[in-house]
Amino acid sequence: QVQLVESGGGLVQAGGSLRVSCVASGSILSINTMGWYRQAPGKQRDLVAGITSGGYTYFADSVKGRFTISRDNAKNTMYLQMNSLKPGDTAVYYCNTGLNLTGMRLGYTTSPWGQGTQVTVSS
């Protein structure tokens, strides 16, 4: 199994940008699908973006057009670039792995959860 460490969160004003990173403890070459979840206080943890080994991407409607996702297999790292941030984006952001995007949207993940990284967007 792979351990995942998120970083890059912080406090940003509405309309600003952040890039969060997810570093895996080992090679991600064999991992078909990786994605970013977020969880706000009192709310469910949901998949906001995902990417397959072939580069196919998914974005939740709430972030479509504002967020981009990428992975760098050589660095065992996945990124989420967040632009035009809104207060509603405030959450703890987690990364995880899965077999496919459909499963990940349903919450089927294959790695232990890390600590996440806090993103706070002020109005």
Side-chain angles (χ1 to χ4, degrees):
Q1 58 182 353
V2 64
Q3 284 74 53
L4 303 169
V5 179
E6 302 92 344
S7 64
L11 176 64
V12 64
Q13 190 176 15
S17 298
L18 282 175
R19 188 179 74 162
V20 292
S21 302
C22 171
V23 179
S25 61
S27 175
I28 62 172
L29 288 172
S30 63
I31 300 175
N32 183 61
T33 309
M34 301 182 71
W36 287 94
Y37 295 79
R38 69 184 184 188
Q39 186 172 34
K43 294 194 174 183
Q44 184 177 324
R45 179 161 53 197
D46 289 321
L47 184 71
V48 296
I51 185 167
T52 70
S53 59
Y56 185 86
T57 58
Y58 160 83
F59 298 96
D61 289 343
S62 59
V63 307
K64 195 173 298 181
R66 300 187 296 119
F67 291 10
T68 57
I69 188 170
S70 61
R71 59 193 287 176
D72 186 337
N73 291 335
K75 296 182 178 179
N76 297 327
T77 302
M78 177 180 63
Y79 305 96
L80 184 69
Q81 177 68 46
M82 301 180 287
N83 300 321
S84 301
L85 283 162
K86 304 174 181 179
D89 297 318
T90 296
V92 178
Y93 284 72
Y94 302 87
C95 60
N96 215 299
T97 61
L99 300 178
N100 52 62
L101 288 169
T102 300
M104 293 195 74
R105 290 183 66 186
L106 295 172
Y108 289 99
T109 54
T110 54
S111 294
W113 294 104
Q115 295 299 305
T117 186
Q118 176 72 49
V119 173
T120 303
V121 184
S122 63
S123 60

